[in-house]
Amino acid sequence: MIEVLVVDDDTRVARVNAAYVETVPGFHVAGQAHSALEALRSVETLPRLDLILLDHYLPDRTGLEVVREMRRRGDQTDVIMVTAARDVSTVQAAMRQGALQYLVKPFAFAGLRAKLEAYAELRRTLDGGGEAEQSEVDRIFGALSAPTEPGLPKGHSPTTAELVRQCLMKADGALSAQEIAERTGVSRQTAQRYLKLLERTGRARLTLKYGDAGRPEHRYVWATRA
């Protein structure tokens, strides 16, 4: 298992990201941290740590300062930045500090999953050892550079898609479009449209609830719970 530390100042976001990680085969959340101090302590105390999903905007220090301090201490744990920071200077600094990738919020689960799966493949390649031809070197360096997530159909909002996705992920069971609408604040028609998109892409599964009469109610459950 690849042991992951999820670092985000927002505890709710950290829980959601951790839940995302746990759905990807081969990955396990070793811990969560909500500040730079907690992150550095976790790096020191966790018995094993392979990867850090690191937010940049932390209450006490920035994520990049966390990476610099880790490297100063000789810790080479892999880092993927997961942050709303979009300025080129921060992206460039992250690259120079050795971050393997940079995932911009808000993102869909597919984007994070793609990065994690590419990271797992990279580890398998590197763990093989030996010598590499130029083609193999090119593949290693390009392993994490694939697009972060597929484009949404025209007329769909990434923010709304993420809102519906998170609501469904956190639910204890199947939900109807009306229930999603009530929990997220979007219209029932909008909820239905995004739920159908999640179903088409395999993120959600449709279940039918039959009543005494009339058409069955369409209910949706996050795919990993179905």
Side-chain angles (χ1 to χ4, degrees):
M1 297 293 285
I2 295 173
E3 299 292 337
V4 182
L5 174 65
V6 177
V7 182
D8 198 293
D9 68 316
D10 188 322
T11 57
R12 182 186 61 84
V13 172
R15 286 196 301 270
V16 170
N17 289 348
Y20 279 167
V21 172
E22 291 282 1
T23 66
V24 181
F27 288 82
H28 174 257
V29 176
Q32 297 180 37
H34 311 297
S35 68
L37 180 60
E38 288 181 6
L40 290 169
R41 283 177 177 170
S42 296
V43 170
E44 288 184 347
T45 59
L46 286 173
R48 180 186 157 197
L49 185 60
D50 302 303
L51 176 67
I52 303 175
L53 299 184
L54 181 61
D55 189 16
H56 181 61
Y57 296 122
L58 299 173
D60 44 355
R61 300 170 73 177
T62 67
L64 290 181
E65 288 176 321
V66 171
V67 178
R68 281 196 289 269
E69 180 61 21
M70 287 170 52
R71 302 306 185 231
R72 188 189 69 80
R73 298 178 183 182
D75 189 289
Q76 298 300 317
T77 302
D78 293 329
V79 174
I80 294 178
M81 300 296 295
V82 181
T83 176
R86 297 169 178 262
D87 56 289
V88 174
S89 61
T90 301
V91 176
Q92 185 181 51
M95 179 177 63
R96 289 176 172 171
Q97 292 295 325
L100 289 179
Q101 251 301 348
Y102 199 104
L103 189 58
V104 178
K105 296 178 182 178
F107 56 86
F109 168 58
L112 178 58
R113 184 177 64 178
K115 295 301 183 192
L116 294 177
E117 290 176 344
Y119 175 75
E121 178 61 27
L122 177 63
R123 283 180 60 93
R124 285 192 290 269
T125 300
L126 296 177
D127 290 346
E131 296 184 348
E133 300 294 335
Q134 184 62 53
S135 59
E136 184 74 0
V137 172
D138 292 342
R139 190 169 73 85
I140 291 171
F141 273 85
L144 293 174
S145 60
T148 57
E149 56 187 89
L152 289 170
K154 185 176 180 180
H156 286 72
S157 162
T159 302
T160 304
E162 185 66 10
L163 190 64
V164 173
R165 186 179 295 106
Q166 291 188 15
C167 182
L168 201 60
M169 272 197 67
K170 292 185 289 185
D172 294 330
L175 296 176
S176 66
Q178 182 59 42
E179 289 169 327
I180 289 285
E182 292 171 355
R183 296 187 185 195
T184 61
V186 303
S187 69
R188 190 194 66 80
Q189 291 79 7
T190 297
Q192 184 68 56
R193 188 155 55 100
Y194 283 87
L195 286 168
K196 287 182 177 179
L197 175 62
L198 288 173
E199 182 196 1
R200 287 198 303 270
T201 56
R203 306 292 180 262
R205 294 182 184 175
L206 173 64
T207 64
L208 299 178
K209 181 180 180 181
Y210 292 89
D212 295 333
R215 298 175 60 184
E217 181 183 37
H218 287 202
R219 300 178 69 82
Y220 296 83
V221 62
W222 190 248
T224 56
R225 295 199 180 102

